[in-house]
Amino acid sequence: YSLTNSWPNRKEKKDELTFEQNYKKLEQLASDLQNSQLTIDQIVPRMKEAIDALESCKTVLKETKLKVKELSQKLEEVE
């Protein structure tokens, strides 16, 4: 189940990764950096990828927070 696919108002590009895919990309980069598995030539491009993935995750989390807040308010109205 992917949160990124559940919001109808979310404008997704066909090639956009899901939250989970971006999160895994960030985990892999962190692991590669910790284990010194990146060459000096790989660091800058991988960091750019990481920034893109982080921005995407942050956007999804903000949208999710807003949606949960909206749903909570609706639930209070029902009670």
Side-chain angles (χ1 to χ4, degrees):
Y1 178 75
S2 173
L3 290 175
T4 57
N5 295 329
S6 63
W7 310 130
N9 61 346
R10 183 152 170 30
K11 296 177 184 169
E12 287 194 52
K13 297 176 186 171
K14 198 171 194 175
D15 60 344
E16 188 174 315
L17 298 177
T18 65
F19 177 87
E20 291 82 4
Q21 289 169 323
N22 279 308
Y23 189 81
K24 284 180 184 178
K25 185 183 281 193
L26 290 169
E27 286 181 322
Q28 184 62 52
L29 176 62
S31 174
D32 290 349
L33 286 170
Q34 289 173 350
N35 298 322
S36 301
Q37 293 180 346
L38 297 176
T39 66
I40 194 76
D41 294 327
Q42 294 173 319
I43 291 175
V44 171
R46 292 294 301 276
M47 291 302 293
K48 286 181 181 178
E49 285 180 42
I51 290 168
D52 290 343
L54 187 58
E55 287 175 343
S56 180
C57 287
K58 187 176 177 180
T59 298
V60 171
L61 290 172
K62 281 183 177 180
E63 290 174 357
T64 301
K65 182 179 177 179
L66 287 173
K67 191 65 176 177
V68 167
K69 185 177 180 177
E70 288 174 19
L71 292 171
S72 294
Q73 289 173 343
K74 286 183 180 183
L75 181 61
E76 287 178 9
E77 291 172 8
V78 172
E79 293 177 346

